[in-house]
Amino acid sequence: MAVTEAENPLVGEITCGSLLQKLQEIWDEVGESDEERDKMLLQIEQECLDVYKRKVEQAAKSRAQLLQALSDAKLELSTLVSALGDKSFISIPETTLGTINEQLAAIAPALEQLLKQKEERVKEFSDVQSQIQKICGEIAGNASEQTGAPAVDESDLSLKKLNEYQVKLQELQKEKSDRLHKVLEFVSTVHDLCAVLGIDFFSTVTEVHPSLDDTTGVQSKSISNDTLLRLAETVSALNEDKKQRLHKLQELATQLIDLWNLMDTPEEERILFDHVTCHTSASVDGVTVPGALALDLIEQAEVEVERLDQLKASRMKEIAFKKQVELEEIFARAHIEIDPEGAREKIMALIDSGNVEPTELLADMDNQIAKAKEEVLSRKEILDRVEKWMSACEEESWLEDYNRDENRYNSSRGAHLNLKRAEKARILVNKIPGMVDTLVAKTRAWEEDRGISFSYDGVPLLAMLDEYAMLRQEREEEKRRLRDQKKYGEQQNTEQEAIFGSRPSPARPSGTKKVVGPRANGGTNGTPSRRLSLNATQNGSRSATKDGKRDSMKLAAPANFVAISKEDAASHVSGTDPVPASP
């Protein structure tokens, strides 16, 4: 019964004392010796010490783990606070009070909140850095080589650092936008240039980068430095090609126009190449019509120029003579004497001999025409003054005839117009000496500058002017002689009247007036003027051939170099004849 109660721990309250008492009862019943009893009790005591010792070690180990956990929690808390860089959002508890478990329990909520905040901050950093990495890859041109998200430096997750990344991201986004805008501008320019040049745009732009195709989205287009550089080079190459093609087309257009003008090509044929000649004076930027500088168009123009060149060679004589006529007309306007027949014979001989290329002959004639035009410009001022001088001499001749007309004051039709013209003519005639002096000075300066004589239709102009001055001097001497003769006659009449008395002179019958010194060959007072050209007419006009051109390109000197002035009109009639006063 006792054994059964001892084996059943649920019967009564089991304690160390009750168990020891139970053990004493068993020993007493068995009859154990005291020695065995002491030995057994010592063994039980040692086992109890071992149990306590083991429990103490376990408790110490657990305490050390808790202290390490507390230390780790404090370090992590400090690290998170330092990394996040902002303590205002989290209330950091005081960790030096309370037991270890209490301190751990106080740190846990703040630590959990900081860990959550760190996770969110790391995600923000990762997103920003991923975008930065992507844009940098696009700019560098190696976006496809980048894999995985960028590593986030968790030692600095502060808002300041995040803001720096965001600012950098904004700068990169702006740079990307600017680069994209520049790429689109380049692509648009390439498109326009390809259209003008007749080049395939798709193959040209995809050769730079496949993403530049129109089917690719705007944001997917390459914006790398290499793409921008190659686009710039492509645009530059296309512009240079455009410039060269335009220059070539303008040269062809100029050749076409020259050949058309040379061969009098009808307007119907010229219209077929309006798309070529319309760009004759256009600038490179001014040509924007699609296909305007296509190679096939330039080839068509080249073929047409070659065809016209061949046609020109077959019509060389006609064209050469046409240029010769143009040259002769230029020399005629400049009053330069040439040998047109000799020039034509020389042209015929050159063409028939075949020793000169047609283009060389025409180029030489074009050169002669250009030099002739330059000569005309150098002679223009003097020629204009010569024309004015000759016009004044013609007015002088007319005034002389007018002064000799006894019926000029009759109230006939147009008499008042002649009277006005006479007044103007006298003013102009008085300017002739000044004209001549200026003309002589200009002519001498021209001759000194070029070292050659200035000829007017083959006659040296200074010789003409000297002849005019000499004739004018002779006229003045003749006027003085007639004046003295008249004075002497009046003196003789006065002396006779004093001796014999005055008597009326018998009236002279009408129509018996005698003109002294008829104007033979344009001369005055019976003295014919000397001629500077053998082909001159009486009033200074120029002889002409049947086709209206001047014969031998010679100018007649004015037939009447010196007009009779108003006060000497009476010198043409007898001193006893009444002469009406000039107006």
Side-chain angles (χ1 to χ4, degrees):
M1 180 69 179
V3 175
T4 303
E5 292 179 355
E7 291 176 356
N8 187 1
L10 298 177
V11 178
E13 184 178 355
I14 299 176
T15 63
C16 289
S18 64
L19 290 175
L20 182 58
Q21 184 179 358
K22 188 67 176 177
L23 183 60
Q24 289 290 346
E25 291 176 356
I26 294 173
W27 284 342
D28 290 337
E29 186 178 350
V30 172
E32 288 286 343
S33 63
D34 292 338
E35 183 180 354
E36 287 295 331
R37 291 183 180 186
D38 292 338
K39 185 178 179 180
M40 185 64 69
L41 289 174
L42 184 62
Q43 183 180 359
I44 292 172
E45 184 178 358
Q46 186 63 41
E47 288 178 357
C48 288
L49 287 174
D50 291 341
V51 171
Y52 276 111
K53 185 177 179 181
R54 188 169 58 253
K55 292 298 182 182
V56 170
E57 289 176 354
Q58 290 178 354
K61 185 178 180 179
S62 177
R63 181 186 65 180
Q65 291 176 349
L66 289 175
L67 287 174
Q68 184 63 41
L70 179 62
S71 177
D72 293 343
K74 289 181 179 180
L75 179 61
E76 186 175 4
L77 182 66
S78 176
T79 302
L80 288 173
V81 170
S82 176
L84 295 174
D86 196 341
K87 301 179 181 180
S88 61
F89 298 103
I90 302 298
S91 177
I92 305 301
E94 182 63 40
T95 59
T96 59
L97 301 177
T99 62
I100 297 176
N101 286 327
E102 288 176 348
Q103 293 179 28
L104 284 173
I107 291 175
L111 189 60
E112 182 181 359
Q113 190 173 356
L114 285 175
L115 287 172
K116 183 178 180 182
Q117 186 173 346
K118 175 186 176 181
E119 183 180 355
E120 295 175 353
R121 191 70 58 82
V122 168
K123 186 177 183 302
E124 291 179 1
F125 270 84
S126 180
D127 292 342
V128 173
Q129 288 181 241
S130 296
Q131 296 181 57
I132 291 175
Q133 178 179 315
K134 180 180 178 182
I135 296 177
C136 289
E138 292 175 353
I139 292 175
N142 57 1
S144 59
E145 300 176 3
Q146 297 178 357
T147 57
V152 178
D153 181 14
E154 298 184 1
S155 64
D156 188 359
L157 299 174
S158 63
L159 292 175
K160 179 181 178 181
K161 189 67 174 180
L162 180 61
N163 184 63
E164 290 177 1
Y165 278 115
Q166 289 174 341
V167 170
K168 184 177 180 181
L169 176 61
Q170 291 175 357
E171 293 175 353
L172 289 172
Q173 287 174 338
K174 184 179 183 304
E175 182 178 355
K176 177 181 178 179
S177 177
D178 294 341
R179 284 170 171 263
L180 185 59
H181 182 68
K182 188 176 293 186
V183 166
L184 294 177
E185 283 185 348
F186 275 134
V187 171
S188 177
T189 303
V190 171
H191 181 273
D192 295 341
L193 289 172
C194 288
V196 173
L197 298 174
I199 300 175
D200 182 40
F201 165 72
F202 177 79
S203 60
T204 302
V205 78
T206 53
E207 186 178 350
V208 176
H209 197 278
S211 66
L212 300 180
D213 180 19
D214 287 340
T215 58
T216 307
V218 174
Q219 295 299 325
S220 301
K221 295 188 182 300
S222 174
I223 59 172
S224 66
N225 292 330
D226 182 65
T227 300
L228 286 171
L229 178 61
R230 295 184 64 184
L231 278 173
E233 292 174 348
T234 302
V235 170
S236 178
L238 291 175
N239 274 323
E240 183 63 26
D241 193 13
K242 179 181 179 182
K243 181 179 179 181
Q244 293 177 358
R245 290 194 189 186
L246 178 61
H247 180 67
K248 177 67 175 177
L249 192 68
Q250 289 176 338
E251 286 183 346
L252 293 172
T254 302
Q255 294 177 26
L256 282 175
I257 294 173
D258 292 341
L259 290 169
W260 287 340
N261 295 335
L262 196 62
M263 295 183 287
D264 294 328
T265 303
E267 191 66 27
E268 294 77 12
E269 294 185 21
R270 302 189 184 196
I271 293 176
L272 298 176
F273 288 88
D274 275 350
H275 56 286
V276 176
T277 56
C278 66
H279 300 302
T280 304
S281 58
S283 63
V284 176
D285 296 334
V287 181
T288 58
V289 178
L293 300 178
L295 286 177
D296 56 348
L297 185 147
I298 296 177
E299 291 174 358
Q300 291 175 6
E302 289 176 339
V303 170
E304 180 65 11
V305 169
E306 184 178 356
R307 184 185 73 82
L308 292 176
D309 275 334
Q310 295 175 355
L311 181 61
K312 179 183 70 175
S314 64
R315 299 173 56 186
M316 180 51 57
K317 290 183 180 180
E318 178 185 348
I319 296 171
F321 286 149
K322 183 177 180 181
K323 286 188 175 292
Q324 179 62 26
V325 169
E326 181 181 356
L327 184 62
E328 292 172 5
E329 290 176 351
I330 293 174
F331 281 129
R333 290 195 299 271
H335 296 279
I336 299 175
E337 188 179 43
I338 61 173
D339 181 12
E341 294 300 329
R344 292 171 185 268
E345 291 176 359
K346 183 178 179 182
I347 292 172
M348 287 288 294
L350 287 172
I351 295 176
D352 293 338
S353 67
N355 295 330
V356 63
E357 289 291 332
T359 54
E360 294 180 0
L361 176 60
L362 294 181
D364 180 65
M365 297 192 71
D366 288 335
N367 188 34
Q368 294 182 40
I369 290 173
K371 290 182 178 179
K373 290 180 179 179
E374 293 178 1
E375 184 71 10
V376 169
L377 290 177
S378 70
R379 295 166 61 94
K380 185 177 184 303
E381 182 181 2
I382 295 177
L383 291 177
D384 290 344
R385 293 182 181 275
V386 170
E387 292 297 327
K388 291 180 180 178
W389 170 57
M390 291 184 175
S391 177
C393 289
E394 290 176 359
E395 286 297 298
E396 187 180 29
S397 177
W398 177 86
L399 183 62
E400 179 186 353
D401 293 338
Y402 177 76
N403 287 336
R404 293 170 54 179
D405 185 6
E406 297 179 358
N407 297 323
R408 62 183 179 275
Y409 295 114
N410 294 344
S411 59
S412 60
R413 185 177 181 181
H416 66 289
L417 297 177
N418 288 333
L419 182 61
K420 291 182 178 180
R421 179 179 177 183
E423 291 297 331
K424 293 180 180 180
R426 289 189 185 94
I427 296 174
L428 184 60
V429 168
N430 290 333
K431 297 180 180 179
I432 290 180
M435 291 183 182
V436 173
D437 293 341
T438 303
L439 192 53
V440 169
K442 293 286 184 182
T443 304
R444 286 177 178 169
W446 188 93
E447 291 182 347
E448 290 176 359
D449 183 49
R450 289 162 179 77
I452 58 175
S453 175
F454 190 102
S455 298
Y456 191 96
D457 289 341
V459 180
L461 181 58
L462 287 179
M464 293 174 61
L465 297 172
D466 291 342
E467 183 75 11
Y468 175 81
M470 185 171 57
L471 289 175
R472 186 178 185 84
Q473 184 178 1
E474 290 178 358
R475 171 201 175 270
E476 293 295 335
E477 292 175 356
E478 180 68 14
K479 283 171 57 179
R480 284 195 297 271
R481 187 185 65 79
L482 292 175
R483 216 182 282 118
D484 293 344
Q485 181 180 355
K486 179 180 178 182
K487 184 177 181 182
Y488 177 76
E490 291 177 349
Q491 184 178 359
Q492 291 295 327
N493 290 337
T494 304
E495 291 177 356
Q496 290 179 3
E497 288 177 358
I499 297 173
F500 302 104
S502 61
R503 59 180 177 178
S505 298
R508 179 175 295 176
S510 175
T512 61
K513 281 190 178 181
K514 181 180 180 182
V515 177
V516 179
R519 295 182 69 233
N521 198 21
T524 60
N525 302 320
T527 304
S529 63
R530 283 186 286 178
R531 312 302 298 268
L532 298 182
S533 172
L534 299 176
N535 301 315
T537 58
Q538 181 174 348
N539 291 323
S541 61
R542 300 161 200 141
S543 61
T545 58
K546 291 182 180 181
D547 58 357
K549 297 178 182 177
R550 284 184 293 272
D551 184 18
S552 302
M553 306 293 289
K554 291 185 178 181
L555 172 71
N560 184 28
F561 280 109
V562 183
I564 298 178
S565 62
K566 174 179 177 182
E567 62 272 16
D568 296 321
S571 64
H572 295 278
V573 295
S574 173
T576 59
D577 295 337
V579 178
S582 300

